[in-house]
């Protein structure tokens, strides 16, 4: 009744309102017993039953039972989970690594994850230690050693110790890619390097990439 894309040798399929997985020979490898099923990533797939999510491996064994309100794919061997309105993380073995306690959380990038505690954002490491205090209005993921943060309506960049590398003087900013980041001030866009130099002046109405 429905088919998904092949990933890591298996594809989700739907038969009689339930999802399972077939291989490239159209053999049912994992029985159709789930309300929904996603593609495999790093040997694991997210599955849903009764509005709750968990993980199975390619043998069809439930590594993580369907108990979570939301669950993400693995990122740096950690997966974000949500239960009772709060976010935490499990590791690649399915064990709870960081107890759900945050209002929001981002995936791990470069060893850190952005989280919201009370009404402010900061960063934790994979041990659950707060390494950059929750003092920001927004906090994006780290790319190329820097992350976009916002306070009082202005954006800049910090490194993984929380040191401000590029001042909070921009109205909008994108994450770094290939050594440059798009920034906007006074409704004009340009690009800065990792030291904050505006190597492409803010002259443009729009930029991408």
């Amino acid at each position: 009744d429905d088919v998904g894309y092949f990933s890591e040798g298996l594809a989700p399929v739907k038969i009689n309102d339930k999802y399972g997985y077939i291989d490239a020979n159209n053999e049912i490898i994992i029985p159709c017993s789930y309300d929904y099923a996603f593609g495999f990533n790093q040997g694991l797939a997210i599955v849903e039953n009764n509005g709750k999510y968990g993980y199975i491996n390619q043998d069809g064994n439930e590594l993580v039972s369907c108990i979570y309100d939301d669950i993400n794919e693995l990122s740096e061997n950690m997966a974000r989970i949500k239960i009772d309105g709060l976010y935490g993380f499990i590791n690649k073995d399915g064990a709870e690594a960081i107890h759900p306690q945050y209002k929001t959380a981002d995936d791990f990038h470069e060893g850190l994850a952005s989280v919201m505690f009370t009404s402010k954002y900061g960063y934790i490491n994979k041990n659950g230690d707060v390494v950059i205090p929750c003092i920001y209005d927004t906090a994006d993921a780290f790319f190329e050693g820097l992350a976009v943060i916002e306070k009082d309506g202005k954006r800049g960049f910090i490194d993984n110790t929380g040191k401000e590398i590029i001042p909070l003087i921009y109205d909008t900013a994108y994450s770094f890619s290939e050594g440059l980041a798009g920034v906007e001030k006074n409704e004009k866009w340009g690009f800065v390097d990792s030291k904050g130099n505006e190597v492409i002046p803010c002259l443009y109405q729009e930029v991408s990439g």
Side-chain angles (χ1 to χ4, degrees):
D1 302 316
D2 188 20
V3 297
Y5 291 103
F6 273 92
S7 57
E8 301 183 4
L10 298 176
V13 294
K14 182 182 181 182
I15 301 175
N16 296 328
D17 291 327
K18 291 291 183 179
Y19 283 83
Y21 294 83
I22 60 170
D23 65 13
N25 296 316
N26 196 31
E27 295 291 334
I28 295 176
I29 303 302
I30 299 173
C32 295
S33 60
Y34 296 99
D35 294 340
Y36 198 78
F38 296 80
F40 275 89
N41 174 41
Q42 300 180 59
L44 300 175
I46 298 170
V47 291
E48 177 196 353
N49 259 338
N50 301 316
K52 301 292 184 179
Y53 297 86
Y55 268 132
I56 61 171
N57 62 22
Q58 291 186 319
D59 294 324
N61 298 320
E62 286 194 357
L63 184 69
V64 177
S65 299
C66 293
I67 61 172
Y68 294 109
D69 300 326
D70 192 18
I71 190 169
N72 275 22
E73 291 186 344
L74 287 170
S75 176
E76 299 187 1
N77 292 323
M78 301 283 277
R80 185 186 68 182
I81 51 94
K82 180 183 181 183
I83 191 167
D84 296 330
L86 296 174
Y87 290 88
F89 292 86
I90 58 175
N91 62 26
K92 62 182 179 63
D93 298 318
E96 183 180 288
I98 299 171
H99 183 69
Q101 58 192 291
Y102 300 105
K103 289 185 176 180
T104 64
D106 198 1
D107 291 330
F108 274 90
H109 286 268
E110 301 184 7
L112 298 177
S114 167
V115 295
M116 178 193 229
F117 193 74
T118 62
S119 61
K120 298 292 183 179
Y121 289 84
Y123 295 86
I124 59 173
N125 63 19
K126 292 179 183 179
N127 295 321
D129 303 318
V130 177
V131 295
I132 299 175
C134 294
I135 59 174
Y136 301 106
D137 298 331
T138 64
D140 294 349
F142 275 88
F143 289 93
E144 300 186 8
L146 296 174
V148 181
I149 45 84
E150 179 180 336
K151 286 180 75 174
D152 301 324
K154 294 295 182 180
R155 293 191 169 200
F157 295 80
I158 58 173
D159 66 15
N160 60 12
T161 69
K163 180 181 178 182
E164 185 179 299
I165 303 299
I166 299 174
L168 282 74
I169 59 174
Y170 297 102
D171 299 319
T172 313
Y174 294 153
S175 297
F176 270 87
S177 176
E178 297 188 18
L180 297 177
V183 292
E184 180 211 8
K185 62 180 179 181
N186 301 322
E187 299 183 353
K188 297 293 183 180
W189 285 88
F191 288 86
V192 294
D193 64 18
S194 60
K195 297 186 183 300
N197 301 310
E198 291 186 10
V199 295
I200 299 175
C202 292
L203 300 173
Y204 301 99
Q205 293 175 326
E206 184 178 353
V207 299
S208 63

